[in-house]
Amino acid sequence: MQGATVNPHPPSVADVLALPVLAAGQPQVVTGPAGLDRPVRWVHITELTDPASFLKGGELVLTTGMPLPDDAAGVRRYVDELTEVGAAALVIELVRRYHRPPDALVQACRARGLPLVTLARDVNFLEVTQVVHALILGSQADAMRRTQRIHEAFTALTLRGAGPEEVVRAAAEMSGRTVVLENLVHQALICEPSGSTVEEALGDWEQRSRATDPGDHTEAGGPEGWLTAPVSYQGERWGRLAMLRAPADGPPFGPEHITVLERTAMALTVARLIHSTPWEHTAHRTALRELAEQRHHSPEDARARCAALGLPTEDNRYLAILVDLGPGVEGGELEARLHGELRSAGVPALVGELASGRLGILPALRPDLPWRPMAERLCRTALGLVPGAIVGVGSEVADLADTARSFREAARVIEATPPGQPLPPDRSFHELPDIDLRRLLYALREDTRVQDYTERRLGRLIDHDTRHGTDLLTTLGHYLDAAGNKTTAARRGGLSRETMYQRLRTIERLLDSDLESGERRTELHVALTALRVLRAG
C-alpha cells in the first residue's frame, strides 16, 4: 500500500480513455464528466438493444451504435437500463451508423449522469478488451499479493506478542494513514499520525469522534469520512479504531484499507489477552513520559494528546508528583488506587509508571483549587499502600508545556532524599525547599568530583587517625558543628580546653589550613558533610 508502485484500485474511466488503444480513436467526453473517476471493473462489447441484462455493474460498454433504437423513448429506455445496472460509461464509435451522437442519446445520458464518450476513428474493440482486462486482472492480482502481505505482517505481530502501540503503528505504516485507537468514552489512547501532526489528528478529538456514529462493522462515515472498525474483548466492544482520511487530493479508502483496519482490530483483541495492564493506564504512561522527557514534537502536539485523554489543557494548573516505590516494588496496585482516588475527587489527572519503581502523577487543578490538600491526599494514599515510598513534589505550573520543569524538580527532590529521611511534621511529601546541604550532597554522592574534593580536603587527617589510632576527625566535626566555638566543641567532645587547642593545632598542621578562617571552615564543613553522607550511603 504505502509506497506501492501499482495502483491498488481498478482503473477509472479516465484511466481507460488515456490508454493508447483507445486514445487512437480520439475519444471525446460528451456527457457525465463528473463520472470519469468511476472504476472500470470490466469491458463489455455489445450490439444488443438490451445489453443491461448481461451486465453486473462497473462495465465500460463499447458499441458501434448499430443496435440503438430509432425512437427517443427507446433510447431513453436503453440509457435507463445501463444506468440502473451501474454501467461505468457508454463508448460509441462514430464510424459506421453515426457520424455524430444522436441528440436523444446525448439528452438521455446527460439526464442520468452517464458518461457518454464518442470515438471519431475506428478502434479494435477486441484489442481494447484485452488491454483493459489485463490491466484489471493485474491490479487485482497485485491487490491480492498486498492483502496477503498484510495478513502475514499482522500474523507475525500477533505471534510475537506485540503490544497495542506496535500494532497501531504497523497499521499506520501499512496504510499510509493516521490511525487512532479510542475507548468507549472517546478518549484517544493511541495515535499514530501519518502525513499529519498529532495536533492535526487529535484536535477537538472527542467532539469530532462523537459526530461519527459507532458501527457494528468496518465502514466509512461521519462528517470527516473516517474509516472505523469496532474493537472487542471477550465478546464485548471496548473501543474503536479510526483511520483518518488522506488530504483533499489523496486517494479514497480502498479494500486494502479495510483489510488493514480489520486485521488491526483482531490483533488488538489478541494483544489485550496477552497484555493485562489496562490500556488507559498504558496511554497515561506514554503521555506522562512524553511530557516529563519532552519527547513530543511541539507543545501543541502535547496539548492535543493530553486533551484527547481527557486532561484539560486550558485554564488549569499542573503539578508533578513522583512516588519512588523502592527496588522490587510493583506499582500496579498503587496506580489503580490513585486512579480511583482521583476519580472520586473529581480531579482529572494522568497517572503512570515513568520508570521501573517510579510512579508519576499529573493532576490538572482549577486555579481556585489549592494544590497542597490534593497532593497530601494522594501522598497519604501512596504511603499507606507502600510505607517505604518516597514522595517528591515539583512546583505548580500554569502551562502544560512547562510540566517537564515540575517533573525535573520532583525528581531532584527524590534524588536528594535518603531512604528513611523523616517527613516534615506538616506534610506527607518532600519538596524543593527541603533540600539542604546534606541532601544536596546525598544527591551528588556518586559524582567523582565530590568524592575527590572530600578526599583532598580530609584524606591526610583520616590517614593520620588510621595510623595513630587518634580521633581528630571527630574533634574537627565538633569544632565545625559549633561554628568555630572552641568552648562548645570541647564540651561536646568531653575534652579540656587545653586538649582541644592542642588537637586543633595538629589538625591545622595536617590539613595545612587556618581554622580561624571562615572560608576554610566552610570548605572543611562541606567536605566533612559529604564524607558523612558517603559513609552513610
Side-chain angles (χ1 to χ4, degrees):
M1 296 180 65
Q2 188 178 31
T5 57
V6 180
N7 187 353
H9 306 287
S12 65
V13 174
D15 294 333
V16 172
L17 296 180
L19 294 172
V21 68
L22 265 175
Q26 298 176 357
Q28 181 179 357
V29 179
V30 180
T31 67
L36 294 182
D37 59 350
R38 294 178 180 178
V40 175
R41 305 189 184 281
W42 207 246
V43 176
H44 185 74
I45 304 171
T46 182
E47 300 298 343
L48 301 175
T49 57
D50 59 341
S53 59
F54 296 92
L55 305 180
K56 295 183 179 296
E59 291 87 358
L60 184 76
V61 179
L62 304 178
T63 181
T64 61
M66 299 298 292
L68 283 178
D70 293 323
D71 59 306
V75 171
R76 284 196 300 272
R77 182 173 60 254
Y78 183 90
V79 172
D80 287 345
E81 290 178 357
L82 290 178
T83 304
E84 289 168 5
V85 80
L90 174 63
V91 179
I92 180 171
E93 187 183 71
L94 302 181
V95 176
R96 292 170 177 81
R97 181 177 178 184
Y98 298 105
H99 296 288
R100 68 181 184 85
D103 292 339
L105 180 63
V106 173
Q107 293 173 6
C109 289
R110 182 175 292 122
R112 297 303 300 267
L114 179 68
L116 173 63
V117 181
T118 61
L119 299 176
R121 300 183 62 180
D122 190 21
V123 169
N124 187 326
F125 282 177
L126 181 58
E127 186 178 354
V128 172
T129 302
Q130 291 173 336
V131 171
V132 177
H133 286 179
L135 181 64
I136 293 171
L137 292 174
S139 176
Q140 291 174 346
D142 187 72
M144 290 177 65
R145 286 191 292 271
R146 284 193 299 276
T147 299
Q148 181 62 27
R149 288 198 293 270
I150 292 168
H151 285 292
E152 291 172 353
F154 279 103
T155 299
L157 287 170
T158 300
L159 289 176
R160 73 165 183 262
E165 293 93 347
E166 187 177 359
V167 172
V168 175
R169 187 180 308 118
E173 291 173 353
M174 279 188 272
S175 65
R177 305 292 177 89
T178 295
V179 180
V180 180
L181 172 67
E182 66 172 9
N183 60 15
L184 293 179
V185 294
H186 303 276
Q187 293 177 343
L189 306 183
I190 302 174
C191 173
E192 284 295 335
S194 179
S196 66
T197 64
V198 172
E199 181 191 12
E200 291 168 341
L202 296 182
D204 296 323
W205 177 260
E206 182 177 349
Q207 180 181 354
R208 294 162 57 207
S209 176
R210 289 184 182 279
T212 302
D213 292 334
D216 295 328
H217 55 276
T218 306
E219 60 183 355
E224 299 183 41
W226 294 349
L227 184 66
T228 60
V231 182
S232 300
Y233 176 65
Q234 294 183 342
E236 293 186 2
R237 177 183 300 187
W238 66 265
R240 178 171 68 168
L241 280 166
M243 184 180 287
L244 277 54
R245 291 182 61 185
D249 57 346
F253 291 122
E256 292 170 40
H257 293 98
I258 295 175
T259 301
V260 167
L261 210 60
E262 290 178 343
R263 283 308 310 264
T264 304
M266 292 172 60
L268 288 173
T269 298
V270 176
R272 181 123 187 176
L273 291 169
I274 298 172
H275 302 276
S276 57
T277 302
W279 288 358
E280 286 81 1
H281 293 189
T282 304
H284 280 214
R285 293 177 187 179
T286 301
L288 277 173
R289 289 171 183 173
E290 289 186 354
L291 287 172
E293 300 168 17
Q294 290 185 300
R295 288 194 282 114
H296 41 75
H297 293 293
S298 68
E300 291 75 22
D301 278 8
R303 293 187 189 97
R305 190 180 292 277
C306 291
L309 284 172
L311 188 77
T313 58
E314 301 290 339
D315 302 324
N316 278 265
R317 304 186 72 80
Y318 308 92
L319 182 76
I321 302 173
L322 294 181
V323 183
D324 206 57
L325 303 173
V329 180
E330 295 293 333
E333 184 179 353
L334 177 58
E335 188 175 344
R337 181 78 65 85
L338 291 172
H339 273 289
E341 188 83 23
L342 288 158
R343 277 195 298 269
S344 65
V347 177
L350 299 178
V351 181
E353 192 177 50
L354 289 175
S356 178
R358 178 168 293 183
L359 210 61
I361 312 165
L362 184 69
L365 304 169
R366 299 190 310 272
D368 60 334
L369 185 65
W371 65 265
R372 288 186 178 276
M374 173 51 60
E376 185 67 27
R377 178 175 177 176
L378 295 175
C379 295
R380 282 200 303 269
T381 299
L383 294 175
L385 199 61
V386 186
I390 299 173
V391 184
V393 177
S395 59
E396 194 179 29
V397 297
D399 192 328
L400 197 66
D402 295 332
T403 53
R405 173 167 58 84
S406 187
F407 274 113
R408 284 195 298 271
E409 292 175 356
R412 287 173 189 163
V413 172
I414 294 285
E415 291 162 3
T417 304
Q421 175 75 29
L423 283 164
D426 58 338
R427 47 190 158 88
S428 302
F429 56 86
H430 303 273
E431 54 185 328
L432 213 53
D434 297 334
I435 300 179
D436 54 14
L437 176 62
R438 181 181 180 86
R439 291 175 64 171
L440 175 63
L441 292 171
Y442 175 79
L444 300 174
R445 65 193 181 280
E446 295 181 2
D447 192 316
T448 55
R449 291 170 296 182
V450 172
Q451 298 171 9
D452 177 68
Y453 177 84
T454 303
E455 183 63 23
R456 283 190 291 107
R457 286 286 180 269
L458 301 175
R460 282 178 291 176
L461 188 62
I462 297 170
D463 290 343
H464 182 277
D465 281 346
T466 302
R467 288 195 303 270
H468 300 284
T470 56
D471 197 14
L472 295 178
L473 186 67
T474 300
T475 300
L476 177 63
H478 290 317
Y479 176 70
L480 295 175
D481 290 341
N485 188 307
K486 298 182 180 66
T487 301
T488 303
R491 185 173 62 252
R492 290 179 179 175
L495 303 173
S496 66
R497 287 174 60 88
E498 183 180 347
T499 302
M500 172 60 67
Y501 292 157
Q502 181 183 357
R503 289 191 178 188
L504 290 177
R505 284 194 295 271
T506 303
I507 291 171
E508 285 182 322
R509 178 176 55 81
L510 290 170
L511 299 183
D512 191 21
S513 182
D514 179 10
L515 294 182
E516 295 298 323
S517 166
E519 182 177 353
R520 294 294 176 267
R521 286 204 303 268
T522 300
E523 291 173 354
L524 291 171
H525 201 187
V526 170
L528 185 59
T529 304
L531 181 65
R532 289 167 175 170
V533 166
L534 291 167
R535 286 181 169 179

